[in-house]
Amino acid sequence: THFGFTNVPESEKESRVGAVFSSVASSYDNMNDLMSLGIHRLWKDHFVRSLNPGTPVANRPPHAKDQGWNILDIAGGTGDIAFRMLDHASNINHDLQTRVTISDINADMLAEGRKRSTATPYYNTPRLSFVEANAEHMPHIPSDSVDLYTVVFGIRNFTDKQAALNEAFRVLKPGGVFACMEFSKVENGLFDAVYKRWNFSAIPLIGQIVAGDRDSYQYLVESIERFPSQEEFRGMIQKAGFLIPGKGYENLTGGIAAIHKGIKP
Ligand code: SAM
């Protein structure tokens, strides 16, 4: 194939992924809006609403009732999901205790998130913290310590996705929730044909024109192509030990993206 990343060995992949996100960190929002025609914002709002962060947690010991949720937002980069979750907890559930740790492998993405956080009420408060870490290995995070683990448009870039899922399982408390939103497989054949055309021709071109970086966006398209189907990914979540609620996933916009959930027993 003529695509740049296909023959990259696994060992080199991690640093290449790093380069991709360093180069897109500042243009990240504009690109997302252009590529998804703004729809990623609606998906993110929906994702957070469906998790309803900050609701009182049932069957917690009495002393822990008012402590809010301990949320770990993996690959949280620019803070997009973290700020939404904190807004939801504060404004919808009147919970001012829930806190989010944004964890990302890339220092440039974290710097961008920290910069953006200065415009939020959570800047410099115990409700928001930043950690640089690889999601596949997080020895600094204790086992059974997290109420909600989120990973949004992140896991498809991980080298060892199963390792990251196992690590999610370890850090969650029993009863804790794993929630992932990721690009997935479009279910309708005709729509899929249109979508693939958009991905493989429009997105690298937009990347070239807007960000001056065709290769990074080419890589993003390829990583979407390679990511497992809804059912395969659900199987990986199960394999990590999670219980699967209901069907286990929800398709968004015909399967362009999907939300997967798991519960630690
Ligand atoms: N969640 C944010 C959003 O939806 O706007 C950012 C998603 S961004 C497309 C993907 C992020 O995954 C990047 O910030 C990248 O640095 C991070 N990432 C890639 N590999 C990672 C790994 N192994 N561990 C943690 N983060 C990783």
Side-chain angles (χ1 to χ4, degrees):
T1 136
H2 55 289
F3 300 130
F5 274 74
T6 314
N7 297 318
V8 175
E10 286 299 295
S11 55
E12 209 184 298
K13 202 178 129 194
E14 200 171 297
S15 60
R16 286 256 199 141
V17 171
V20 167
F21 286 108
S22 289
S23 88
V24 300
S26 55
S27 59
Y28 186 70
D29 272 0
N30 292 337
M31 287 305 307
N32 275 345
D33 280 336
L34 266 170
M35 291 190 317
S36 78
L37 309 170
I39 294 170
H40 76 108
R41 291 173 190 269
L42 304 179
W43 290 341
K44 286 172 176 172
D45 290 342
H46 173 75
F47 178 76
V48 169
R49 229 179 292 122
S50 82
L51 294 166
N52 200 5
T55 42
V57 181
N59 56 39
R60 276 247 190 107
H63 69 272
K65 277 251 181 329
D66 302 321
Q67 288 177 3
W69 295 18
N70 184 27
I71 303 176
L72 183 59
D73 184 33
I74 293 291
T78 55
D80 232 16
I81 297 299
F83 305 153
R84 273 182 174 76
M85 291 195 289
L86 288 168
D87 285 346
H88 184 101
S90 311
N91 303 334
I92 308 292
N93 290 320
H94 309 290
D95 159 21
L96 305 179
Q97 305 298 320
T98 285
R99 60 221 164 271
V100 182
T101 302
I102 297 178
S103 180
D104 201 289
I105 201 171
N106 187 297
D108 294 323
M109 289 297 269
L110 285 169
E112 187 67 24
R114 201 173 276 124
K115 194 167 102 193
R116 291 181 192 192
S117 75
T118 58
T120 74
Y122 319 111
Y123 177 64
N124 248 341
T125 75
R127 302 189 67 192
L128 186 65
S129 45
F130 296 86
V131 174
E132 191 179 327
N134 184 340
E136 295 160 22
H137 186 58
M138 302 186 291
H140 53 287
I141 300 187
S143 303
D144 304 324
S145 66
V146 170
D147 294 293
L148 171 64
Y149 173 116
T150 53
V151 57
V152 173
F153 301 122
I155 200 165
R156 79 173 186 285
N157 304 296
F158 298 178
T159 308
D160 187 345
K161 297 167 185 60
Q162 190 67 54
L165 292 171
N166 297 345
E167 197 60 343
F169 187 85
R170 180 186 69 77
V171 300
L172 278 164
K173 296 175 187 171
V177 172
F178 166 85
C180 169
M181 182 157 70
E182 189 50 89
F183 290 108
S184 204
K185 302 292 175 221
V186 170
E187 299 207 317
N188 176 288
L190 192 60
F191 182 40
D192 191 39
V194 176
Y195 172 66
K196 284 218 166 74
R197 267 192 96 87
W198 170 256
N199 262 358
F200 279 101
S201 31
I203 288 184
L205 187 62
I206 294 174
Q208 184 176 351
I209 293 168
V210 178
D213 183 356
R214 187 185 181 90
D215 284 354
S216 291
Y217 286 88
Q218 181 70 58
Y219 163 76
L220 293 182
V221 171
E222 284 175 36
S223 69
I224 293 172
E225 244 344 84
R226 275 198 308 266
F227 194 69
S229 70
Q230 285 84 333
E231 285 76 18
E232 284 170 312
F233 187 53
R234 178 182 61 197
M236 292 170 69
I237 296 168
Q238 220 158 3
K239 194 172 161 202
F242 288 104
L243 296 175
I244 304 297
K247 187 181 171 195
Y249 65 87
E250 178 193 359
N251 281 335
L252 304 171
T253 320
I256 291 185
I259 296 174
H260 280 78
K261 288 181 185 165
I263 297 166
K264 178 164 168 176

